[in-house]
Amino acid sequence: MSTTDRAAATWLSQEAYDRLQAELNELIAARPAIAAEINARREEGDLRENGGYHAAREEQGKQEFRIRQLQELLRTAQVGEAPAADVVGPGCVVTIHFDDDTDDTETFLLGSREIAATTDLTVYSPESALGKSILGARPGQTVHYTAPSGAEIKVTVVRFEPFGR
């Protein structure tokens, strides 16, 4: 794996990986129950007017989407601590300040939202407007990004460190 690939990987703590694996196992184990529910609702008659059938099918679709999402995340995730880096990357806890106001700071985790359940920090995705703007930045570097509201925002990276250190 190249350095670039390692920096772009989704890093998960062992705890987060285990939690997501348990969720996947529960969803897979629940497949027969959803299938049975769909069959039971199908036997109730006319499918065009059978709200229970359509609700069960919708639930099955959501469940299958989540299964595929978790399988892909767990297949590609790197478990452990993200490698040390000299620039901001996924898996970093970042402190920034807005505009030129050093008192207006925010500290957050730049990473997968899947890890949000394992921390009290706000989590921003590397694909978000803010996340994209600070990827590769160094302490003291100022970057600009366009917020979803359309406002141009200037931020300066104060410091960063790998999550969990």
Side-chain angles (χ1 to χ4, degrees):
M1 181 179 283
S2 73
T3 304
T4 305
D5 291 340
R6 288 178 65 77
T10 300
W11 288 89
L12 296 174
S13 65
Q14 186 65 54
E15 176 187 346
Y17 183 90
D18 292 345
R19 182 181 53 79
L20 294 172
Q21 184 65 57
E23 179 185 351
L24 175 62
N25 293 341
E26 287 176 23
L27 289 170
I28 290 172
R31 278 177 165 162
I34 285 281
E37 177 72 16
I38 290 170
N39 285 334
R41 298 298 180 184
R42 183 181 296 129
E43 292 176 5
E44 290 176 358
D46 188 358
L47 296 181
R48 290 177 297 192
E49 297 178 13
N50 188 331
Y53 170 80
H54 294 291
R57 290 291 305 215
E58 185 176 328
E59 184 61 32
Q60 180 188 42
K62 289 177 185 176
Q63 181 176 329
E64 289 301 317
F65 174 78
R66 182 66 177 155
I67 287 171
R68 286 189 306 277
Q69 186 181 43
L70 287 170
Q71 286 173 329
E72 180 63 16
L73 176 64
L74 294 172
R75 184 182 68 76
T76 60
Q78 299 293 318
V79 179
E81 288 189 22
D86 58 352
V87 296
V88 173
C92 289
V93 175
V94 183
T95 301
I96 59 171
H97 68 75
F98 294 92
D99 297 317
D100 291 318
D101 183 356
T102 57
D103 292 327
D104 186 9
T105 65
E106 182 175 3
T107 299
F108 56 89
L109 174 61
L110 185 65
S112 168
R113 295 199 187 271
E114 298 294 342
I115 204 167
T118 66
T119 180
D120 291 333
L121 291 169
T122 299
V123 178
Y124 288 112
S125 167
E127 290 81 32
S128 68
L130 173 59
K132 285 178 185 176
S133 71
I134 63 171
L135 280 175
R138 298 179 188 283
Q141 186 173 349
T142 299
V143 297
H144 297 83
Y145 73 96
T146 303
S149 66
E152 285 293 320
I153 299 178
K154 177 175 135 180
V155 298
T156 302
V157 175
V158 176
R159 67 180 170 276
F160 70 92
E161 63 185 40
F163 179 60
R165 287 195 185 157

